[in-house]
């Protein structure tokens, strides 16, 4: 299960060793933002984001990603 608000590190799968964070954006967009970066502490490094419209879609997103994530 993805952990909302925490920073995790992708340990296997695409984007291995990148960081990610899920933001609950229900108040603004009705969904969840998925932020992915090589290093959140450095705004100049490569990163991207994605958005899903529900908790169910968020769970499916993580199942499809096949990531192993270490949450801090």
């Amino acid at each position: 299960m993805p952990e909302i608000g925490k920073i995790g590190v992708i340990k296997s799968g695409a984007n291995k060793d990148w960081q990610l964070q899920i933001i609950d954006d229900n108040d603004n967009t009705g969904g969840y933002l998925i932020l992915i970066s090589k290093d959140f502490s450095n705004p100049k490094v490569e990163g991207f984001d994605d958005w899903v419209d529900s908790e169910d879609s968020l769970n499916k997103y993580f199942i499809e990603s096949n990531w192993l994530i270490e949450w801090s």
Side-chain angles (χ1 to χ4, degrees), residues 14-67:
N15 305 103
K16 184 177 184 292
D17 296 325
W18 285 40
Q19 297 176 328
L20 70 94
Q21 185 176 29
I22 303 161
I23 306 295
D24 182 342
D25 199 44
N26 276 292
D27 290 341
N28 295 311
T29 65
Y32 296 87
L33 294 170
I34 303 161
L35 310 176
I36 302 170
S37 175
K38 285 187 176 181
D39 183 359
F40 283 130
S41 66
N42 183 350
K44 295 182 180 186
V45 300
E46 185 178 2
F48 60 93
D49 59 36
D50 212 343
W51 177 85
V52 294
D53 63 355
S54 67
E55 188 173 341
D56 185 53
S57 294
L58 179 64
N59 289 325
K60 288 177 183 175
Y61 182 99
F62 276 80
I63 290 168
E64 289 176 16
S65 74
N66 203 29
W67 286 328

